[in-house]
Amino acid sequence: MESSFVNMVEPGDDVIVMRNGVFGGRMVENVQRSGGRAIVIDDEWGAPCDPHKLRETLQRHPSVRTVGFVHAETSTGAESDAKTLTSIAHEFGALVICDAVTSLAGVPLLVDDWAIDAVYSGSQKCLSCVPGLSPVSYSDAVIDRVKARKDKAQVQSWFMDLNLVLDYWGETARTYHHTAPINSLFALHESLVMLQEEGLEQAWSRHRLHHEAFKAGIEAMGLEFLVNPANRLPQMNAVKVPASFAPGVEAQLRKRLLADYSMEIGAGLGPLAGKIWRFGLMGQSCSRANVMSCLGALTCELPEFGVQVKMGDAEQAALDVYNRAAHQHA
């Protein structure tokens, strides 16, 4: 994220940021720290970024050269239409910065087909790799912009200056820039080999299948999702905390699940703190065993917190999804 912004945003630039959760907010801060002026388009947390708002804002601000948005908002579980948002930005001559931290390998992300200019992800999400690496992709247009700023506004970060990194990767002569994290890179290579062996489309389907089974079980308990089905990420499930819970009770349940079942559930962030749970079904953790274990743990523990659920209903609802899928592929 920071590499994209410090290289693409120059002091005084107008930058549109679409904010519908925590990580859109971090984009705003990156714009400001890069000396730019953030023009923020807010959408409700749990809703996708609105393409119509983007078009209207670009019409009002013709000076904008960069648009930032989050493809898969980790704080809410909402997926935005990266293809449409990129297309609209390009109509107005703006380049895009796309946060794909939670979407890479979990849902379709077609960087070349959608002509996304700058996109970054994280090694620890659906790639199931060690944390600490951030795969990035930059288009020729981004590289041209970075090279053009050499004599005007020097990139404020030495370590992330792509002009220096380009020299490091030079084909004829290499200029030392940093010591690469070799062990982490081997880990990333292995995670990509595993993804290739499964098949990218199969990985997308696996995330979708286990989400559908988890969803069936959650709804059988009478719980509700935050995001509407059309914009719901399969790998990041935001479930509303029961309305009957007093403040602090949801945290007690999460502590119980961690202590008794070694199962860690994400808390709500920002204005959603105490209002949702975030269940990650990402990469190698996205499995039938984990779905069934989680549903079983919730079935056992929710009644102690005042939520009446019938033993076995959630598990059976999930099994029905798995059985239907098995019959379809038989």
Side-chain angles (χ1 to χ4, degrees):
M1 183 191 301
E2 190 163 2
S3 173
S4 299
F5 280 96
V6 299
N7 281 281
M8 294 175 64
V9 178
E10 297 184 29
D13 277 2
D14 285 338
V15 180
I16 290 177
V17 175
M18 307 195 75
R19 181 173 60 186
N20 62 336
V22 165
F23 296 97
R26 289 192 182 179
M27 281 187 160
V28 172
E29 186 168 344
N30 271 265
V31 171
Q32 295 167 342
R33 286 172 179 257
S34 300
R37 183 173 75 96
I39 301 169
V40 182
I41 301 174
D42 276 313
D43 279 296
E44 182 181 354
W45 286 39
C49 298
D50 187 340
H52 301 292
K53 290 183 180 179
L54 176 58
R55 183 180 295 279
E56 293 170 356
T57 306
L58 282 165
Q59 289 171 341
R60 294 198 307 271
H61 298 276
S63 61
V64 167
R65 295 201 308 155
T66 308
V67 173
F69 62 84
V70 179
H71 182 207
E73 178 52 74
T74 314
S75 64
T76 68
E79 179 181 358
S80 293
D81 186 347
K83 179 181 180 180
T84 298
L85 295 173
T86 300
S87 177
I88 293 172
H90 287 172
E91 285 181 34
F92 292 83
L95 302 184
V96 302
I97 299 175
C98 173
D99 178 322
V101 169
T102 305
S103 55
L104 180 62
V107 292
L109 173 67
L110 308 181
V111 176
D112 290 338
D113 289 352
W114 299 347
I116 301 175
D117 300 293
V119 56
Y120 56 85
S121 188
S123 53
Q124 76 280 16
K125 299 294 186 182
C126 293
L127 292 178
S128 285
C129 183
V130 295
L133 295 177
S134 179
V136 295
S137 174
Y138 296 127
S139 69
D140 290 341
V142 172
I143 300 303
D144 288 344
R145 178 183 292 186
V146 172
K147 288 180 176 179
R149 67 179 288 168
K150 272 186 177 180
D151 300 323
K152 295 189 298 181
Q154 192 176 43
V155 173
Q156 52 100 345
S157 168
W158 183 92
F159 182 71
M160 295 181 181
D161 186 344
L162 287 182
N163 281 309
L164 298 178
V165 176
L166 287 170
D167 290 337
Y168 180 61
W169 290 106
E171 295 182 4
T172 55
R174 293 184 60 177
T175 302
Y176 175 72
H177 183 259
H178 66 280
T179 299
I182 300 301
N183 291 346
S184 296
L185 290 173
F186 272 112
L188 178 60
H189 180 269
E190 182 60 26
S191 73
L192 294 173
V193 169
M194 293 169 66
L195 179 61
Q196 184 183 43
E197 289 174 346
E198 179 181 13
L200 185 56
E201 291 79 6
Q202 286 73 21
W204 297 339
S205 297
R206 173 169 55 85
H207 283 86
R208 177 61 58 185
L209 169 63
H210 295 308
H211 160 74
E212 292 295 338
F214 181 72
K215 168 181 171 291
I218 287 293
E219 292 179 342
M221 297 180 189
L223 302 178
E224 299 178 353
F225 281 75
L226 173 70
V227 182
N228 69 56
N231 306 111
R232 189 179 296 161
L233 287 169
Q235 66 270 43
M236 222 310 295
N237 296 262
V239 176
K240 294 180 181 179
V241 170
S244 60
F245 275 23
V249 172
E250 66 85 19
Q252 295 175 23
L253 176 60
R254 286 189 288 106
K255 288 180 181 178
R256 177 82 63 86
L257 292 174
L258 182 58
D260 294 350
Y261 300 88
S262 298
M263 188 176 298
E264 187 167 16
I265 308 303
L269 302 174
L272 295 177
K275 297 179 180 179
I276 64 168
W277 291 309
R278 295 181 301 136
F279 295 86
L281 288 172
M282 301 181 192
Q284 297 304 309
S285 73
C286 180
S287 67
R288 178 169 175 162
N290 284 347
V291 168
M292 299 306 293
S293 296
C294 184
L295 294 176
L298 289 171
T299 295
C300 292
E301 297 300 330
L302 280 172
E304 294 199 28
F305 291 86
V307 179
Q308 297 307 310
V309 295
K310 186 176 179 181
M311 192 68 67
D313 279 3
E315 294 92 328
Q316 187 59 58
L319 286 173
D320 289 343
V321 172
Y322 287 130
N323 290 335
R324 284 196 298 271
H327 289 314
Q328 290 172 0
H329 292 91

